[in-house]
Amino acid sequence: MAKPIILAVDDEPHVLNAVARDLQERYRGDYRIVKALSGQEALEAVQEFKRRGTAVALFVVDQRMPGMSGIELLAEAIVLYPEAKRVLLTAYADTNAAIASINEVALDYYLMKPWDPPEEQLYPVLDDLLDAWAAHVPVPYDGIRVAGTLWSPRSHQVKEFLARGQIPYQWLDIEKDDEARTLVEASTEGRSVLPVLFFPDGTLLEDPDMHVLADKVGLRAPALKPFYDLIVIGAGPAGLAAAVYGASEGLKTAVVEREVPGGQAGTSARIENYLGFPQGIGGADLARRAATQARRLGAELLVAQEVTGVRVDGPYRIVTLDDGSELRCHALLLATGVALRTLDAPGLERLLGASVYYGAATSEAANYQDRDVLVIGGANSAGQGALFLSRYARSVTILVRKDSLRHSMSQYLIDQIERTENITVSPSTEIAAVTGEHSLETVTLVDRASETSTTVRADAIFIFVGAMARSDLVRDLVEVDDAGFVLTGQDLLAGGRRPRGWRLRRDPLLMESSVPGIFAAGDVRHDVVRRVASAVGQGSVAVTAIHRYLDTV
């Protein structure tokens, strides 16, 4: 943590040096002493401290300076640092101005120049002020800060990206925090660009592209090799399991992930039925552990890099990345998972990312403290999301199309939901429409049993409905079912025929697609159990089949 700042300002160099000398003598062990020769120079320094998240404990400012007086400087500086203590250096002729500034800028003290000896005239005053500051000002946050508005979809995307990547950050809502708004205005010179990210090194990003942000926080790195034994597309549970087993068994393995590791499971607030974690584990935490394990065993994780194309060239499978580069491998594993199906109710799309969210949106839950939220869906992800939201929201209502949760949700989640006082389940219910200009206001619900509708007020909607296969990359290359899920192994032999274009004498291996050497695991496969443990098992078993394939290459 950087030392708090004591800022000394005087336009006369010899006076400024004397002030700084006395401050250094007494306070250099606990504070950083900074000098400025003018009010404008001091104000620029204060703005830079704020961008860096550095605390300012004390201003020691001369009153009579050209261009900007001490009182004028303090009036602007305390907008950014309202808790900092303020001392004005004056001559006899400035006494009236100093007294007037006690009310104008809440001046803590004014000192006559000269103040010798400092042991009697300076240090006792400053000691008291600094002790008071240290006792009442919290330790400043020394990390990434994200400034934006709750109703900004782009702010939500940035927060969700950082949260899923387990990158710590502090949220600054400029609609609620005047200090944060002033910081943004000063740093962006009035440009209306949100969100703004402030980094500890003093740099900032305005509404960054996710690739740029990934580079900045150290998530994105180029591939180290042009060729691999195995490339895995997708870093959900299946992809990470394949990376762990592939790397541990000596395969040169790379995993390409378009966002951050974890997949849909990574958005789960808590997974309580995964073997080996009796207290449950957060999806992001499970993903972090698995990614660390894969890297330790030698796998490369190419994060925030999207595969834009897949093709076959003889014995090689080639993937094209979004930066135009290409990677080659002998075996390719599709672990791209699924995307949540979107709802088509009028008004929803306009509020997406601004009180309407697909998935758990754990980064937003705390913003709905003591508010009323709706959860749409009846599977495990909806139950986990509802339980997490219930820690913050005044009420959580689960809307499910079927007559109960028992058709698709695990019993342990149902039991917890029934024990949670602020969660209500509304069966046989669908959303018909929503209203709200900048954020959600009302929701029209339809009872499927009675075909009656009601309108209720709500502050946010979290949607967990259905799943669509993320197989667009390969739908023209491998065989898929009518819903787009990849057919593998025995599913390709239905009706006693082999896949179209299959030239090998052998049948497709377990989890092998209709193109030899391209495999699939996890939720993107046809007719699988969509659970974390199932995906991990498939990713692990797929490596065994890939070894068999590599033995023939």
Side-chain angles (χ1 to χ4, degrees), residues 406-466:
R406 301 186 186 280
H407 297 280
S408 53
M409 188 177 293
S410 296
Q411 188 62 45
Y412 82 92
L413 284 171
I414 296 174
D415 292 341
Q416 289 186 43
I417 287 169
E418 289 176 346
R419 292 195 300 265
T420 305
E421 293 182 358
N422 61 335
I423 297 181
T424 302
V425 179
S426 183
S428 303
T429 304
E430 291 181 317
I431 279 189
V434 305
T435 67
E437 188 63 31
H438 302 292
S439 62
L440 185 65
E441 294 176 6
T442 67
V443 182
T444 300
L445 305 177
V446 174
D447 186 316
R448 290 164 51 87
S450 65
E451 297 185 354
T452 59
S453 65
T454 57
T455 299
V456 300
R457 296 196 64 82
D459 296 298
I461 298 174
F462 296 83
I463 304 170
F464 307 79
V465 289

Side-chain angles (χ1 to χ4, degrees), residues 158-428:
V158 166
K159 289 190 290 179
E160 192 73 357
F161 179 83
L162 293 174
R164 291 189 58 196
Q166 296 206 325
I167 305 296
Y169 70 92
Q170 182 185 52
W171 168 240
L172 306 176
D173 190 335
I174 65 170
E175 292 184 338
K176 298 179 179 179
D177 187 336
D178 292 340
E179 187 179 336
R181 183 169 61 254
T182 301
L183 171 63
V184 169
E185 291 172 350
S187 301
T188 62
E189 299 178 349
R191 291 186 298 275
S192 299
V193 181
L194 293 175
V196 179
L197 284 78
F198 299 91
F199 294 87
D201 63 0
T203 59
L204 60 83
L205 291 176
E206 300 177 21
D207 189 17
D209 175 85
M210 289 299 111
H211 291 166
V212 173
L213 178 55
D215 285 336
K216 180 66 177 178
V217 299
L219 286 177
R220 185 176 161 104
L224 298 179
K225 306 178 184 70
F227 184 86
Y228 297 87
D229 298 314
L230 169 63
I231 291 178
V232 181
I233 304 177
L240 291 171
V244 167
Y245 279 85
S248 68
E249 294 172 13
L251 299 181
K252 294 178 182 177
T253 303
V255 183
V256 185
E257 168 55 49
R258 61 198 291 266
E259 295 178 348
V260 294
Q264 188 176 349
T267 68
S268 294
R270 198 148 202 86
I271 303 168
E272 297 197 51
N273 60 350
Y274 188 66
L275 186 67
F277 294 91
Q279 302 302 318
I281 184 170
D285 192 24
L286 182 63
R288 177 187 58 80
R289 293 172 185 235
T292 300
Q293 186 177 20
R295 288 188 176 104
R296 182 180 66 82
L297 293 167
E300 287 183 43
L301 267 64
L302 309 179
V303 176
Q305 301 189 47
E306 188 164 4
V307 175
T308 58
V310 174
R311 71 180 193 275
V312 175
D313 183 7
Y316 306 117
R317 281 79 190 107
I318 303 167
V319 299
T320 303
L321 302 182
D322 53 7
D323 63 359
S325 62
E326 292 187 342
L327 302 176
R328 293 174 173 249
C329 61
H330 280 311
L332 180 67
L333 177 65
L334 304 170
T336 45
V338 295
L340 288 172
R341 194 178 302 278
T342 58
L343 291 182
D344 196 25
L348 273 179
E349 185 176 356
R350 184 178 67 254
L351 299 176
L352 185 60
S355 70
V356 172
Y357 309 99
Y358 283 92
T362 53
S363 61
E364 303 294 348
N367 293 317
Y368 293 97
Q369 184 81 39
D370 298 326
R371 298 192 182 190
D372 303 307
V373 304
L374 304 179
V375 170
I376 303 177
N380 278 10
S381 56
Q384 292 160 349
L387 287 166
F388 182 76
L389 289 163
S390 70
R391 304 178 194 174
Y392 303 93
R394 176 172 50 211
S395 71
V396 179
T397 303
I398 302 176
L399 310 178
V400 56
R401 296 178 76 250
K402 296 184 179 180
D403 59 6
S404 77
L405 296 174
R406 301 186 186 280
H407 297 280
S408 53
M409 188 177 293
S410 296
Q411 188 62 45
Y412 82 92
L413 284 171
I414 296 174
D415 292 341
Q416 289 186 43
I417 287 169
E418 289 176 346
R419 292 195 300 265
T420 305
E421 293 182 358
N422 61 335
I423 297 181
T424 302
V425 179
S426 183
S428 303

